[in-house]
Amino acid sequence: MTMTVLETSDIHGHIVPISYADHSAIESGLAKLAAVIRKERANTEHVLLIDNGDLIQGTPLAYHHAKLDAKVPNPMIRVLNELGYDAAIIGNHEFNYGLPLLEKAVGESNFPWLSANIVRESDGEPLFGRPYVIKELGGVKVGILGLTTRYIPNWEKAEHIAGLRFEGAVDSAKRWVPYMREQEGVDVVIVSYHGGFERSLDTGEPTEPLTGENEGYALCQEVAGIDLLLTGHQHRTIAGVQVCGVPVVQPGSAGGWLGKATIKLTSGSEGGWHVEEITTELLTPAGVAPDPVVLSMTEPHERLAQKWLDQPIGRLVGDMRVTDPMQVRLAEHPLIEFINRVQMELSGARISNTALFDNVSPGFPEHITMRDIVSNYIYPNTLQVIRVKGSDIRAALEQTACYFDTYTGEGDIRVSAEFGEPKPQHYNYDMWEGIRYKLNISRPAGQRVVELEFDGAPLDPDGEYDVVMNNYRAAGGGNYMMFQGKPVVKDIPTDIAELLASYIMERGTIEATLNRNWQVVWDGKSELSEAE
């Protein structure tokens, strides 16, 4: 007896294989994966199809549905229903638009949503009531346990997760895996965990602070009885690997890969089935024509989203285009200064930080549309003003400065492993306005802030300062623990993308400016040239 388990994860609203920035074709997306999934189903009798979370947020299509067209069925759910998914796991980004939108998506689904470790405070029962689901294929009972990273309260707005408690994934697995084995009598246990690995898969050494955000390694090491672990959240591509004897899979993000596990079983002499072998691999949709049914059913939603994206909202005088992301992070860029200044003006705070979230942000052209806004500000963040000490600002700048490998002046400046592995974390490199500072990346990490001033004087370590930033960072996200638990002076519960768009529309014309209040330097080059 052989069965196949197919996994998608971190789709983040990507269905149609196009770039929302410029309409160019891309070799990923759920429409292309759908064709691969249908082929696998046609060639295999016993197939399980599982989505591992972070499905309903991440593209302009998903944003448009959530904010402007939420009364119609969710386009991502419609596709999963069409493809006959057996289960979906709740990811951290499922909460980004609030619990009502998530509840609507779950209600429209023809499959169960699982998460054993997200429970209601009122009764301790799992959210949506389903910690696991049992499927029978060819007489084999398969239990699928859903788990979610417990770190969500460190990122998400409190009102989006009110009444919920996030327990440890390992603790929940230790409860439910034996239950499925002993009480439900399952033959195969699959754990689908929207979380990743906190340790090296090769050496077992920690690869990040052991905060509980990722517990994949501990699940394999500490929980007996797991036959297969499906993972996500970190956007890694992992297959053909075992951790403590457990086969593990992680299929990247945005529909770039399909995880596949082939499970071979033999029947026991006293009944039941035993796992003989599990092999794992990743299937690529590159070169595969997108599924026409999926394209057709998505087209009405996509058409409305594209029309919304092309709405002109204002004009730019000057240049805010991004041609070299590394240069944006080495010396202030007009796009970054603009976002920070909008944040400061709307919040009243005198200090602000923001990030260039990825290396494909195009910046703003002369005639700005909504497409330009969402292509640069890709997350549904809101703004918060928190009160911190000067020492907290210095500590945050030291954390930011860890983005760079130590640089001697020879060769290219490189991103450190801390920010590049297991996935790129450009969104965790902050750039500030309202203070003057320099970072010397020839110095050891933790000793790189060489100048730090506010109002023309050295920043007072014990002084209190109000700083505006996105809600993710204000909660300590990205290992900025110095911000965690700080007093919230002001909360602005509108998406920053909307704030930027409204700001531009109200003025009609904006201007690119540059005050050069910060820069990155290195030994042998004390200042960057004007051209840089």
Side-chain angles (χ1 to χ4, degrees):
M1 162 69 177
T2 300
M3 71 174 62
T4 297
V5 180
L6 302 177
E7 178 202 8
T8 54
S9 190
D10 299 274
I11 294 294
H12 285 290
H14 288 84
I15 301 178
V16 180
I18 60 167
S19 165
Y20 283 97
D22 59 9
H23 294 283
S24 61
I26 56 176
E27 293 288 359
S28 57
L30 196 50
K32 291 173 76 69
L33 282 187
V36 181
I37 290 168
R38 292 198 199 275
K39 182 179 179 181
E40 289 295 314
R41 283 198 186 280
N43 294 335
T44 308
E45 182 179 1
H46 305 297
V47 177
L48 286 172
L49 179 57
I50 302 168
D51 184 76
N52 192 58
D54 279 6
L55 172 71
I56 65 174
Q57 175 277 335
T59 57
L61 171 66
Y63 183 95
H64 182 268
H65 170 75
K67 294 293 187 177
L68 301 171
D69 203 26
K71 291 184 178 180
V72 304
N74 191 304
M76 282 68 74
I77 302 301
R78 291 189 67 201
V79 173
L80 266 61
N81 286 341
E82 165 65 23
L83 295 174
Y85 272 70
D86 293 287
I89 312 305
I90 302 169
N92 53 294
H93 283 286
E94 256 67 75
F95 294 96
N96 284 173
Y97 296 122
L99 202 53
L101 191 86
L102 173 55
E103 291 170 339
K104 173 180 176 290
V106 172
E108 293 168 357
S109 301
N110 295 339
F111 48 86
W113 285 73
L114 312 174
S115 186
N117 65 312
I118 303 178
V119 302
R120 297 189 295 263
E121 290 276 12
S122 59
D123 56 13
E125 291 297 311
L127 181 63
F128 307 125
R130 302 294 291 267
Y132 63 85
V133 67
I134 296 175
K135 309 291 289 190
E136 189 165 325
L137 292 81
V140 178
K141 290 182 70 174
V142 182
I144 305 167
L145 177 67
L147 298 169
T148 307
T149 174
R150 68 178 179 184
Y151 215 56
I152 291 172
N154 293 280
W155 307 312
E156 192 53 72
K157 290 187 282 188
E159 61 267 28
H160 288 177
I161 54 175
L164 301 179
R165 184 171 72 248
F166 297 81
E167 299 178 340
V170 171
D171 291 339
S172 292
K174 286 180 177 178
R175 173 187 176 188
W176 291 109
V177 169
Y179 185 90
M180 289 192 296
R181 289 276 188 196
E182 298 163 11
Q183 303 300 317
E184 299 283 11
V186 300
D187 302 299
V188 180
V189 171
I190 299 170
V191 173
S192 190
Y193 169 50
H194 188 81
F197 295 96
E198 71 280 25
R199 296 179 180 272
S200 165
L201 303 186
D202 297 322
T203 67
E205 292 297 313
T207 54
E208 63 186 35
L210 300 180
T211 61
E213 175 181 352
N214 298 298
E215 299 179 84
Y217 200 96
L219 283 168
C220 297
Q221 188 177 49
E222 300 179 27
V223 183
I226 299 174
D227 292 307
L228 172 66
L229 179 65
L230 309 179
T231 64
H233 183 57
Q234 291 175 316
H235 298 189
R236 299 169 69 178
T237 50
I238 301 172
V241 177
Q242 292 191 359
V243 175
C244 302
V246 179
V248 298
V249 185
Q250 190 170 148
S253 65
W257 299 90
L258 179 68
K260 178 181 178 180
T262 302
I263 305 177
K264 294 183 180 179
L265 302 107
T266 56
S267 56
S269 57
E270 299 179 359
W273 295 83
H274 303 284
V275 174
E276 182 179 325
E277 181 186 25
I278 300 180
T279 57
T280 59
E281 59 186 305
L282 296 175
L283 307 179
T284 175
V288 177
D291 184 84
V293 175
V294 170
L295 288 181
S296 177
M297 66 195 308
T298 308
E299 192 276 334
H301 308 279
E302 185 70 26
R303 184 175 66 252
L304 289 174
Q306 292 289 350
K307 182 179 179 181
W308 168 72
L309 285 170
D310 287 328
Q311 292 177 2
I313 61 173
R315 178 174 175 266
L316 167 67
V317 176
D319 189 357
M320 286 191 193
R321 293 170 299 174
V322 175
T323 57
D324 186 340
M326 180 61 84
Q327 286 301 318
V328 173
R329 300 184 181 103
L330 290 175
E332 191 173 33
H333 186 276
L335 176 69
I336 300 302
E337 180 168 305
F338 171 72
I339 295 173
N340 271 324
R341 288 197 173 278
V342 171
Q343 293 185 172
M344 294 163 72
E345 186 170 332
L346 295 181
S347 68
R350 296 185 62 196
I351 303 175
S352 173
N353 67 45
T354 191
L356 185 69
F357 294 122
D358 55 34
N359 282 346
V360 296
S361 295
F364 289 163
E366 178 184 357
H367 299 287
I368 304 170
T369 65
M370 280 303 304
R371 187 182 306 279
D372 301 311
I373 299 292
V374 299
S375 294
N376 287 281
Y377 210 103
I378 60 177
Y379 296 115
N381 294 330
T382 59
L383 285 181
Q384 287 187 327
V385 179
I386 62 173
R387 184 157 293 159
V388 302
K389 289 188 174 182
S391 57
D392 296 319
I393 294 176
R394 178 177 287 274
L397 288 170
E398 290 290 2
Q399 172 63 24
T400 274
C402 291
Y403 178 82
F404 302 102
D405 269 344
T406 302
Y407 184 61
T408 62
E410 297 182 1
D412 295 329
I413 297 173
R414 294 181 301 184
V415 177
S416 68
E418 179 182 341
F419 285 75
E421 299 172 5
K423 67 174 181 179
Q425 298 174 49
H426 305 301
Y427 51 84
N428 283 331
Y429 176 82
D430 289 337
M431 292 160 279
W432 293 63
E433 189 65 41
I435 55 176
R436 299 194 68 84
Y437 65 94
K438 288 183 183 178
L439 308 177
N440 186 334
I441 59 175
S442 294
R443 301 182 66 169
Q447 303 174 36
R448 291 179 170 178
V449 179
V450 293
E451 292 184 20
L452 179 55
E453 297 181 350
F454 176 73
D455 274 351
L459 193 75
D460 180 2
D462 296 318
E464 291 189 333
Y465 303 89
D466 290 350
V467 182
V468 61
M469 61 189 76
N470 67 57
N471 63 293
Y472 170 79
R473 185 69 78 242
N479 296 324
Y480 285 81
M481 302 304 183
M482 68 293 297
F483 295 147
Q484 206 169 51
K486 290 298 191 291
V488 177
V489 178
K490 181 181 290 187
D491 184 64
I492 303 175
T494 303
D495 285 4
I496 296 175
E498 292 182 43
L499 294 174
L500 293 171
S502 297
Y503 184 93
I504 296 169
M505 285 189 285
E506 288 172 4
R507 287 153 183 78
T509 299
I510 61 171
E511 184 176 355
T513 61
L514 204 58
N515 65 1
R516 302 183 187 277
N517 66 292
W518 66 269
Q519 59 182 201
V520 175
V521 299
W522 52 88
D523 291 348
K525 187 172 186 180
S526 59
E527 299 285 345
L528 294 175
S529 69
E530 287 295 311
E532 293 177 309

